[in-house]
Amino acid sequence: MDAIAFEQMRQGHALMAACCALYLAWWAIFFWPKVSGGSAHGALRTIGIVAILGAVACGVFGAARICGGAAELAPTRVVVGCLVGAVVLYLVLLGITQRMFQRQPTTELVLFVAWLGMEACCALALGGAGQTGVAALVAVLAVVGFVVSLVCYVLYYRLEPLPSFVDGCVPLALIGVVSIVIACCLPAGA
């Protein structure tokens, strides 16, 4: 059973990396032109739309695979705890970012908080399955990815067009790399 769960998590992380790559493509197509005051047109616009739809599909399927594999290894209370923790963290961060930083809420806050909750569940499941080294790696990478994403989220609207474009790229590229690293480090199973 562990081998199947590890494979599900590996596939899920590969899909999450694809999600990030496609999301990054969409971001570049639709937000790079805004640096110079333009917008995407024609075939490029169509490619961008296909990229974001692909990102959504890969993200949903990837998260389902990761969570499914983690749920096979972890007790129900761990899964529920990660879900509840993510919801509470989101609500706290929503309040803090709006009140302290005057940051208008966007989908990205939901996405990277949900990602952190998912990776926490994955790390706890791996630790419970005796894979403490990989669990620690997942936990550290998740915290780094989360902190970088949060900083970029807060800074985005405070930056000029080019730096804000780069600021939007950083979390996507980082989470994509983190997902690849995790996929490559997951055990092959018994």
Side-chain angles (χ1 to χ4, degrees):
M1 178 154 88
D2 286 3
I4 294 169
F6 296 149
E7 186 56 32
Q8 286 177 322
M9 288 189 283
R10 185 181 347 285
Q11 290 170 3
H13 281 95
L15 284 165
M16 201 58 64
C19 167
C20 290
L22 290 166
Y23 199 147
L24 191 56
W26 169 80
W27 181 262
I29 289 168
F30 280 90
F31 287 87
W32 174 251
K34 291 182 180 185
V35 170
S36 61
S39 63
H41 298 288
L44 188 59
R45 180 177 175 83
T46 302
I47 291 168
I49 292 168
V50 169
I52 196 64
L53 293 174
V56 169
C58 287
V60 168
F61 290 126
R65 297 298 286 171
I66 293 167
C67 292
E72 289 290 324
L73 298 173
T76 303
R77 70 182 186 287
V78 169
V79 176
V80 172
C82 289
L83 177 61
V84 170
V87 170
V88 169
L89 180 61
Y90 171 76
L91 293 173
V92 168
L93 288 176
L94 180 64
I96 290 171
T97 58
Q98 281 185 306
R99 288 191 182 107
M100 290 180 64
F101 300 106
Q102 291 73 48
R103 174 56 158 94
Q104 69 182 33
T106 59
T107 307
E108 286 73 22
L109 183 61
V110 172
L111 293 176
F112 69 78
V113 170
W115 177 80
L116 176 66
M118 179 186 72
E119 294 298 1
C121 187
C122 184
L124 290 168
L126 288 164
Q131 300 294 324
T132 54
V134 178
L137 177 67
V138 170
V140 168
L141 291 175
V143 169
V144 169
F146 173 78
V147 169
V148 169
S149 295
L150 182 59
V151 169
C152 290
Y153 178 80
V154 169
L155 291 176
Y156 180 75
Y157 287 111
R158 298 169 183 250
L159 300 171
E160 295 297 318
L162 180 58
S164 71
F165 170 79
V166 173
D167 180 83
C169 292
V170 169
L172 294 169
L174 177 59
I175 301 308
V177 170
V178 164
S179 296
I180 290 168
V181 169
I182 294 170
C184 291
C185 291
L186 285 166

